[in-house]
Amino acid sequence: MKAYVFHGPGQSAWEDVPDPDIKDPTDAVVRVDTVTICGTDLHILKGDVPEVRPGTVLGHEAVGEVVEVGSDVRTVRPGDRVLVSCVTACGRCRYCREAVYGQCLGGGGWILGHLIDGTQAEYVRVPFADLSVHALPAAVPSEDAVLLADIFPTAYEVGVLNGRVRPGDTVAVVGAGPIGLAVIATARLFAPERIIAVDMAPARLEAARALGAEAVADAREAPEQLVADLTGGLGADVVVEAVGLPETFEMCTRMVRPGGHVANVGVHGRPATLHLEDLWIKDVTITTGLVDTHSTPTLLKMAAAGRLPTSQLLTHTFPLERMQEAYDVFGHAAETGALKVVLGGPQREVVPVATA
């Protein structure tokens, strides 16, 4: 089969690799119909995630069709259309029993495209299939469903829930890329008073407005002052870091009010300074986290009911074999205006209908 393979920082290719097969009785093999590219994949290519070994197939988000299952798989069978979650769960360890699947001790967690071959391929082996794939309702198109593999659960769990967004809050979102935009969309479910989006790209700030941000600010033009002005000098109740740079994390800690929450979602490849000389007295809560995907079934129901603006984040589509071009477009989002790029599409056999 063909797959997108990481060969070291700055080196990758769409190339031939062996087909995956069942290794453990809890495995499923999925034929990939639709995938997307995550900001974390870009971090891997930059060398920010050294655990990824050269020769690994990238990707941790997909929609596809189950083609084979191990003898212990009970919840899906060949022919089922499924969402492949970015996080894999053994279901037995301490963390999985608490629905903290991202910290799985039994061989799961974030492993696809990280510690084992991932989803940016024509086929993928998914360990612990009973808890790691989700049967898809027909009402959710594949290009929308694939956004529920990672960015919407990540935004909702690590940003909105960890940040404890409540009705009437002022929420500042630093970074209006796909994750930041999904934070805006899911924060609105809790009826905050206002959402403020911060970014440097005018197109992303416009997208933030379209998704419900009441105010936007250029990151280069003192957004902390805008937050202060809109809150009577108090600061934001919740600030979500959705970039992954030391500068943006430190900006978030300057925006938050005493007693507020900073929820870090961004993937950081460099150390950031924690200014405890300023923060020690402010009762600020700072959270970090890897998504657990415990919210995926709920988000799927909302998507099926038309309650999530998934399609508003889709800007570019490509066939699977144009993976490198899709990476180039996504990696240069400031020039291309890319939010989420989607590759592939449903592949269905055409069965002739007999006529009398």
Side-chain angles (χ1 to χ4, degrees), residues 5 23 37 53 78 81 110 112 131 152 166 189 198 221 224 246 262 273 278 317 327 330 341 343-345 347 352 354:
V5 182
K23 292 185 178 180
I37 301 170
R53 294 175 297 180
R81 177 173 168 261
W110 173 38
L112 290 170
L131 283 173
F152 269 90
R166 296 178 298 180
L189 300 173
V198 179
E221 298 178 1
E224 299 99 319
V262 175
T273 300
D278 298 322
T317 58
Y327 262 91
F330 186 64
V341 302
L343 297 100
Q347 302 169 26

Side-chain angles (χ1 to χ4, degrees), residues 51-286:
E51 299 87 359
V52 182
R53 294 175 297 180
T56 301
V57 176
L58 294 183
H60 49 266
E61 307 155 273
V63 169
E65 182 179 307
V66 176
V67 295
E68 187 178 2
V69 297
S71 58
D72 288 351
V73 175
R74 297 289 181 268
T75 61
V76 293
R77 59 186 180 180
D80 285 350
R81 177 173 168 261
V82 295
L83 171 69
V84 179
S85 174
C86 67
V87 164
T88 302
C90 78
R92 296 178 178 177
C93 72
R94 170 183 172 173
Y95 287 112
C96 284
R97 290 170 70 88
E98 297 173 357
V100 186
Y101 306 128
Q103 305 301 323
C104 175
L105 298 172
W110 173 38
I111 57 174
L112 290 170
H114 180 206
L115 304 179
I116 67 171
D117 286 338
T119 59
Q120 289 171 3
E122 293 176 319
Y123 293 86
V124 61
R125 178 180 73 92
V126 184
F128 307 116
D130 278 339
L131 283 173
S132 306
V133 301
H134 302 267
L136 281 175
V140 183
S142 295
E143 60 271 21
D144 292 347
V146 75
L147 301 190
L148 303 182
D150 185 352
I151 68 162
F152 269 90
T154 295
Y156 182 58
E157 295 175 20
V158 185
V160 175
L161 297 185
N162 280 4
R164 299 187 182 179
V165 175
R166 296 178 298 180
D169 276 353
T170 291
V171 180
V173 181
V174 177
I179 287 286
L181 294 173
V183 169
I184 292 168
T186 51
R188 283 176 55 81
L189 300 173
F190 291 82
E193 179 184 6
R194 66 174 67 86
I195 299 174
I196 304 164
V198 179
D199 204 285
M200 293 191 296
R204 290 190 167 189
L205 293 176
E206 189 59 35
R209 281 192 184 277
L211 284 166
E214 285 80 9
V216 300
D218 190 310
R220 296 161 294 193
E221 298 178 1
E224 299 99 319
Q225 188 59 53
L226 174 64
V227 172
D229 291 345
L230 290 174
T231 58
L234 189 63
D237 300 286
V238 180
V239 186
V240 179
E241 201 286 340
V243 180
L245 293 174
E247 299 83 359
T248 50
F249 174 79
E250 292 167 31
M251 178 190 296
C252 290
T253 64
R254 295 192 298 270
M255 286 182 176
V256 69
R257 68 165 174 83
H261 290 76
V262 175
N264 183 87
V265 183
V267 178
H268 289 262
R270 292 185 285 134
T273 300
L274 184 62
H275 288 282
L276 286 176
E277 73 277 14
D278 298 322
L279 295 170
W280 73 271
I281 201 170
K282 293 185 176 179
D283 297 338
V284 170
T285 299
I286 298 174

Side-chain angles (χ1 to χ4, degrees), residues 21-45:
D21 53 19
I22 299 293
K23 292 185 178 180
D24 297 304
T26 55
D27 289 350
V29 173
V30 175
R31 186 193 68 198
V32 174
D33 291 337
T34 307
V35 297
T36 184
I37 301 170
C38 180
T40 305
D41 297 320
L42 300 183
H43 281 281
I44 292 171
L45 290 175

